[in-house]
């Protein structure tokens, strides 16, 4: 609007012969020239401001794009780290399933039975740290092996296998896999009865409860043996610093001869 106003005033001035100068080279009067020059300066400032604003918006967009890229990269790295950790856990689980498979029951029970109870083998609950169903993944082959070994005409079904594995994992989560291998081996040896016609899951759970009681007795006995062993070590150490009654009598006489009062504390170590 301001530009149109200036142009209109210029035309009016021209028609009123306000514009003077050489013929063919008209020029503006001072006041009008100043206004038009100011208009050009204002327009230049406006254009510059628009360009600066455009540059600022572009910079902001660039920073937002960079931040978004960084976030995507960070998420990608975290996802990659999670996948690597999960792959490592699955690899560890595969190694456990291979090491403690049913075919090794006899080896562990024959050569490493004490280690089966007091070794460092994983428990059922610790397997779940590798995978939510890792405990059942280990139990199902053991149960299937027992079912096949029994020779029963009616084998355990897949549904029974899954449910039985879930019951054992929930009730006996504290057992080591090697302890359970001892149980399955001893069940095969006829220690906990046998199946009649079909593989009965209730027979297995009843036998496992009996095994758990036996295990408790084994642990109590083992702890008592450890206490006795420690007591023997402590007694042997105490005897190293003790003296006989005769030796104490000699020390007493020496102190009396030297005018010393016998050390009453010394009697505590007399044998």
């Amino acid at each position: 609007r301001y530009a149109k106003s200036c142009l209109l005033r210029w035309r009016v001035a021209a028609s009123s012969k306000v514009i003077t100068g050489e013929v063919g080279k008209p020029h503006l009067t001072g006041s009008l020239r100043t206004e038009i020059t100011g208009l050009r300066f204002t327009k230049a400032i406006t254009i510059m401001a628009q360009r600066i604003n455009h540059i600022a918006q572009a910079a902001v967009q660039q920073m937002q794009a960079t931040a978004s890229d960084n976030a995507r990269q960070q998420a990608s790295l975290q996802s990659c780290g999670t996948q690597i950790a999960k792959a490592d856990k699955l690899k560890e689980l595969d190694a456990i399933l291979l090491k403690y498979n049913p075919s090794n029951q006899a080896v562990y029970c024959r050569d490493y039975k004490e280690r089966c109870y007091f070794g460092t083998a994983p428990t059922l609950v610790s397997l779940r740290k590798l995978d939510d169903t890792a405990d059942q993944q280990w139990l199902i082959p053991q149960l299937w092996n027992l079912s096949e070994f029994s020779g029963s005409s009616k084998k355990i079904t897949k549904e029974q296998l899954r449910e039985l594995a879930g019951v054992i994992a929930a009730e006996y989560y504290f057992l080591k896999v090697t302890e359970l291998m001892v149980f399955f081996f001893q069940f095969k040896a006829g220690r906990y009865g046998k199946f009649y016609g079909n593989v009965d899951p209730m027979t297995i759970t009843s036998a496992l409860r009996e095994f758990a009681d036996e295990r408790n007795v084994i642990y109590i006995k083992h702890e008592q043996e450890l206490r006795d062993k420690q007591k023997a070590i402590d007694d042997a150490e105490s005897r190293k610093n003790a003296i006989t009654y005769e030796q104490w009598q000699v020390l007493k006489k020496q102190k009396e001869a030297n005018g010393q009062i016998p050390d009453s504390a010394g009697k505590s170590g007399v044998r």
Side-chain angles (χ1 to χ4, degrees):
R1 289 178 181 177
Y2 184 69
K4 288 181 179 180
S5 174
C6 289
L7 183 59
L8 180 60
R9 291 172 61 191
W10 186 85
R11 288 178 177 174
V12 170
S15 62
S16 303
K17 298 183 179 181
V18 176
I19 300 176
T20 59
E22 299 180 5
V23 179
K25 295 182 179 180
H27 63 277
L28 301 178
T29 58
S31 59
L32 194 55
R33 184 185 297 112
T34 301
E35 291 185 20
I36 294 176
T37 302
L39 176 62
R40 292 174 179 173
F41 177 77
T42 302
K43 185 176 181 181
I45 293 298
T46 303
I47 294 173
M48 184 179 296
Q50 291 175 347
R51 290 180 179 177
I52 292 174
N53 185 49
H54 178 74
I55 293 172
Q57 289 179 352
V60 171
Q61 292 175 355
Q62 181 65 32
M63 287 189 292
Q64 291 176 344
T66 302
S68 178
D69 290 341
N70 291 338
R72 282 195 296 269
Q73 291 177 0
Q74 186 67 21
S76 178
L77 289 174
Q78 291 178 351
S79 176
C80 183
T82 301
Q83 291 177 359
I84 292 174
K86 186 175 181 179
D88 290 340
K89 288 182 178 181
L90 292 178
K91 185 178 180 180
E92 183 179 353
L93 176 59
D94 289 341
I96 290 173
L97 295 177
L98 180 62
K99 182 178 181 180
Y100 302 107
N101 70 80
S103 63
N104 289 331
Q105 290 175 4
V107 176
Y108 278 94
C109 294
R110 183 185 66 238
D111 302 333
Y112 311 106
K113 193 167 185 178
E114 185 174 357
R115 285 176 54 188
C116 288
Y117 290 100
F118 309 112
T120 58
T123 60
L124 291 179
V125 69
S126 67
L127 289 180
R128 295 177 198 166
K129 296 178 182 179
L130 304 177
D131 188 81
D132 292 340
T133 61
D135 48 2
Q136 298 188 42
Q137 290 182 47
W138 183 85
L139 279 166
I140 288 176
Q142 304 285 338
L143 294 167
W144 178 255
N145 176 262
L146 177 62
S147 175
E148 291 296 303
F149 178 86
S150 68
S152 300
S153 57
K154 188 176 180 181
K155 306 297 182 182
I156 191 169
T157 65
K158 292 182 179 180
E159 290 74 14
Q160 287 176 318
L161 270 177
R162 285 194 294 268
E163 190 166 356
L164 180 56
V167 170
I168 295 175
E171 291 293 319
Y172 300 97
Y173 59 89
F174 53 88
L175 291 179
K176 297 182 179 70
V177 293
T178 46
E179 291 175 323
L180 285 163
M181 291 174 75
V182 172
F183 164 72
F184 288 119
F185 182 80
Q186 291 180 165
F187 196 108
K188 291 177 181 177
R191 188 163 177 171
Y192 306 111
K194 62 179 182 179
F195 300 116
Y196 295 93
N198 63 306
V199 178
D200 184 7
M202 293 294 292
T203 302
I204 297 175
T205 53
S206 297
L208 187 53
R209 182 174 58 186
E210 183 178 348
F211 170 79
D213 292 338
E214 294 175 356
R215 171 186 176 275
N216 291 339
V217 174
I218 292 173
Y219 268 80
I220 292 173
K221 182 179 179 181
H222 179 70
E223 290 173 359
Q224 184 60 49
E225 290 175 351
L226 292 178
R227 285 193 294 268
D228 292 342
K229 185 181 294 185
Q230 185 61 45
K231 185 176 183 301
I233 294 173
D234 294 341
D235 290 344
E237 191 67 25
S238 178
R239 282 193 294 270
K240 289 181 181 179
N241 301 321
I243 60 175
T244 64
Y245 180 75
E246 291 77 11
Q247 291 172 331
W248 181 79
Q249 288 288 340
V250 172
L251 290 175
K252 179 183 177 183
K253 290 178 180 179
Q254 290 176 352
K255 289 183 178 182
E256 288 176 349
N258 295 330
Q260 298 177 355
I261 299 175
D263 186 3
S264 60
K267 288 187 177 182
S268 62
V270 177
R271 291 187 285 115

